[in-house]
């Protein structure tokens, strides 16, 4: 891998139909992949369930079929929610090779390790299974993505010295969060000498679409830099970070990200102070800290667009009161033509079991239902 720290997260791809996560715009994606590679970046990250289980196939069409295998590195993942035996895990792995069209993965992760999945991965022998994949040359580097506390991470890395990297949620808003524990987890991985790949550096778009006060705060200091650039540079500037993943949905985002990351410069002390001031403003505004990963939507019996609704709710709560009319209510009403309403929630709890952020989704759904039901 070259020294460039930006990775292309293949979870929020350009779509032909914005309400169908699997209807990927392959032509636009291919142009984005080409530009990404032309600018010297090589790391791509997909997973079994991304884009309604279509991301891996899109990766084959836009990347694997069109570029030499030694011109890129590809990461894929195995999520504990989709298998109950090592035989089923094996079948998924074989299908991932088929869907992506590669003969091996450069990086392969046990996906979303936390206290529940760790027990399952241990019980089924997944760490040994993963090590065997490396021994056979089907995987070059083995690791896991992680959403839990630093104490458990310390235990897992102690018990599994074979792990070569860990993927953590790190961004300036979650850095000191007691819920996410970005800093504590980063420091734990660093203590173990395990390199970190960063996911959610822009927190699912939250740190790209910041409140007006935060936008002005950044623009006053560096008017030429985009708002997301502050978040990406914050994460990439950490010493033990080897890669920062960014989900890019259009060419504009890709050109912006690759533009300032081609000749990457970490945040200065003054810029870090600017970021901390922004955090103080944001903490007073964001009500539901959803990253928009959409893990919660696949199993929802009422087909409720949970992350979309949370995003609209947060956005509307951040609007200045003097504005009067805001568009979020209309967006919500239009979405309910395709998806279940927030009020349709039957509190089955499937969403809360799979949520990497451990959000109280059922209670938040009640808030959204009341708010947009007026």
């Amino acid at each position: 891998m070259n020294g460039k720290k930006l990775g292309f997260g293949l979870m929020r791809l350009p779509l032909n139909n914005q309400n169908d996560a699997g209807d990927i715009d392959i032509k636009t994606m291919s142009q984005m992949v080409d530009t990404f590679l032309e600018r010297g970046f090589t790391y791509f990250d997909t997973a079994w369930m991304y884009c309604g289980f279509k991301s891996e196939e899109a990766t084959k069409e836009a990347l694997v079929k069109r570029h030499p295998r030694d011109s890129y590195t590809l990461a894929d993942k195995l999520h504990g929610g989709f298998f109950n035996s090592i035989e089923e895990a094996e079948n998924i792995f074989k299908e991932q090779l088929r869907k992506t069209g590669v003969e091996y993965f450069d990086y392969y992760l046990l996906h979303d390790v936390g206290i529940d999945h760790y027990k399952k991965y241990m019980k089924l022998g997944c760490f040994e299974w993963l090590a065997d994949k490396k021994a056979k040359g089907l995987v070059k580097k083995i690791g896991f993505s992680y959403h839990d506390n630093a104490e458990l991470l310390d235990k897992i890395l102690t018990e599994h010295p074979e792990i070569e990297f860990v993927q953590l949620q790190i961004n300036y808003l979650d850095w000191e969060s007691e819920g996410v524990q970005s800093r504590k987890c980063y420091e734990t991985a660093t203590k173990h000498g395990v390199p970190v790949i960063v996911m959610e550096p822009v927190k699912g778009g939250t740190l790209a679409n910041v409140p007006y006060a935060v936008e002005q705060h950044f623009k006053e200091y560096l008017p030429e830099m985009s708002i997301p650039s502050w978040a990406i540079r914050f994460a990439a500037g950490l010493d033990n970070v080897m890669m920062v993943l960014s989900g890019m949905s259009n060419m504009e985002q890709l050109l912006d990200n690759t533009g300032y990351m081609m000749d990457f410069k970490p945040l200065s002390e003054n810029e870090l102070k600017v970021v901390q001031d922004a955090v103080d403003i944001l903490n007073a505004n964001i009500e539901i800290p959803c990253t928009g990963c959409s893990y919660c939507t696949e199993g929802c019996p009422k087909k409720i667009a949970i992350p979309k609704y949370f995003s609209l709710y947060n956005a509307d709560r951040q609007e200045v009161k003097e504005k009067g009319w805001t568009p979020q209510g209309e967006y919500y009403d239009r979405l309910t033509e395709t998806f279940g309403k927030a009020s349709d929630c039957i509190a089955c709890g499937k969403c809360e079991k799979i949520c990497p952020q451990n959000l109280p989704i059922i209670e938040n759904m009640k808030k959204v239902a009341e708010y947009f039901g007026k």
Side-chain angles (χ1 to χ4, degrees):
M1 188 191 300
N2 64 27
K4 288 190 164 55
K5 277 190 170 186
L6 180 69
F8 195 156
L10 303 170
M11 181 167 75
R12 299 181 179 96
L13 293 170
L15 302 175
N16 295 309
N17 176 0
Q18 296 305 311
N19 290 326
D20 182 354
D23 189 5
I24 298 162
D25 180 349
I26 299 294
K27 182 180 178 182
T28 299
M29 180 185 174
S30 297
Q31 293 169 344
M32 292 168 69
V33 164
D34 294 351
T35 304
F36 190 75
L37 289 168
E38 284 164 10
R39 292 189 164 204
F41 300 90
T42 62
Y43 192 97
F44 295 85
D45 171 271
T46 187
W48 180 245
M49 80 281 263
Y50 286 178
C51 300
F53 299 90
K54 298 294 185 183
S55 173
E56 290 164 329
E57 291 169 336
T59 301
K60 180 178 184 177
E61 296 301 316
L63 174 67
V64 176
K65 280 185 176 180
R66 301 174 60 253
H67 294 278
R69 184 63 182 92
D70 61 358
S71 68
Y72 61 86
T73 51
L74 182 61
D76 210 333
K77 314 182 191 77
L78 179 75
H79 193 289
F82 298 97
F83 67 94
N84 291 302
S85 70
I86 209 69
E87 291 76 22
E88 289 178 0
E90 184 66 28
N91 289 336
I92 289 174
F93 184 84
K94 288 177 181 175
E95 184 68 359
Q96 287 177 309
L97 289 173
R98 185 196 68 78
K99 286 171 73 178
T100 56
V102 297
E103 294 180 350
Y104 66 90
F105 294 111
D106 300 279
Y107 294 80
Y108 198 81
L109 303 85
L110 296 178
H111 200 174
D112 189 18
V113 173
I115 186 61
D116 50 347
H117 282 153
Y118 184 54
K119 290 176 182 175
K120 182 172 187 175
Y121 292 144
M122 288 293 285
K123 179 182 176 184
L124 296 179
C126 292
F127 284 88
E128 293 81 3
W129 174 85
L130 188 55
D132 182 61
K133 287 284 173 281
K134 182 183 177 183
K136 290 176 177 173
L138 295 168
V139 173
K140 301 298 184 187
K141 297 273 189 182
I142 59 174
F144 60 84
S145 64
Y146 187 77
H147 292 283
D148 213 318
N149 62 59
E151 186 179 1
L152 178 63
L153 180 61
D154 188 45
K155 170 182 163 68
I156 296 171
L157 291 177
T158 300
E159 293 176 356
H160 296 281
E162 73 276 16
I163 290 299
E164 296 171 280
F165 67 96
V166 62
Q167 190 160 301
L168 301 175
Q169 177 170 318
I170 294 177
N171 57 71
Y172 63 70
L173 192 59
D174 291 328
W175 187 241
E176 296 294 350
S177 162
E178 267 309 303
V180 179
Q181 297 192 354
S182 278
R183 176 180 58 78
K184 290 180 179 179
C185 286
Y186 166 79
E187 290 172 351
T188 298
T190 303
K191 180 184 80 172
H192 283 269
V194 177
V196 170
I197 294 175
V198 172
M199 57 184 162
E200 302 293 352
V202 191
K203 205 168 167 66
T206 295
L207 302 184
N209 302 299
V210 294
Y212 180 74
V214 178
E215 182 178 349
Q216 289 302 106
H217 177 67
F218 283 135
K219 290 296 183 185
E220 282 172 12
Y221 192 85
L222 277 179
E224 72 278 10
M225 294 299 291
S226 69
I227 302 306
S229 72
W230 288 87
I232 303 275
R233 288 175 63 217
F234 172 85
L238 297 165
D239 289 340
N240 191 38
V241 165
M242 60 177 276
M243 190 63 56
V244 177
L245 302 176
S246 178
M248 294 175 273
S249 305
N250 55 55
M251 184 63 84
E252 182 184 7
Q253 292 172 2
L254 186 133
L255 290 173
D256 178 47
N257 282 346
T258 55
Y260 59 79
M261 287 300 287
M262 277 195 293
D263 183 24
F264 169 66
K265 293 180 178 63
L267 296 175
S268 67
E269 286 298 318
N270 284 340
E271 288 171 330
L272 286 168
K273 175 65 169 65
V274 172
V275 167
Q276 184 53 54
D277 291 342
V279 170
D280 294 339
I281 301 169
L282 281 163
N283 279 335
N285 283 279
I286 291 180
E287 199 163 327
I288 304 175
C290 170
T291 68
C293 73
S294 296
Y295 294 179
C296 56
T297 57
E298 295 297 337
C300 177
K302 294 296 183 179
K303 305 295 183 208
I304 299 170
I306 299 168
K308 293 179 188 288
Y309 294 170
F310 285 171
S311 176
L312 291 174
Y313 178 81
N314 282 333
D316 212 64
R317 299 286 286 182
Q318 289 171 351
E319 297 269 25
V320 290
K321 290 188 174 67
E322 295 77 24
K323 190 172 177 181
W325 177 85
T326 60
Q328 280 77 225
E330 282 194 24
Y331 282 115
Y332 174 81
D333 289 341
R334 287 168 183 163
L335 281 168
T336 60
E337 296 295 316
T338 305
F339 301 101
K341 299 178 181 177
S343 58
D344 292 340
C345 174
I346 58 172
C348 68
K350 286 185 178 179
C351 54
E352 293 191 353
K353 286 176 184 170
I354 201 169
C355 176
Q357 313 302 320
N358 298 311
L359 295 177
I361 294 176
I362 295 167
E363 284 306 308
N364 286 330
M365 268 294 117
K366 290 176 184 174
K367 282 187 193 176
V368 173
E370 183 182 2
Y371 189 81
F372 287 119
K374 292 174 183 173

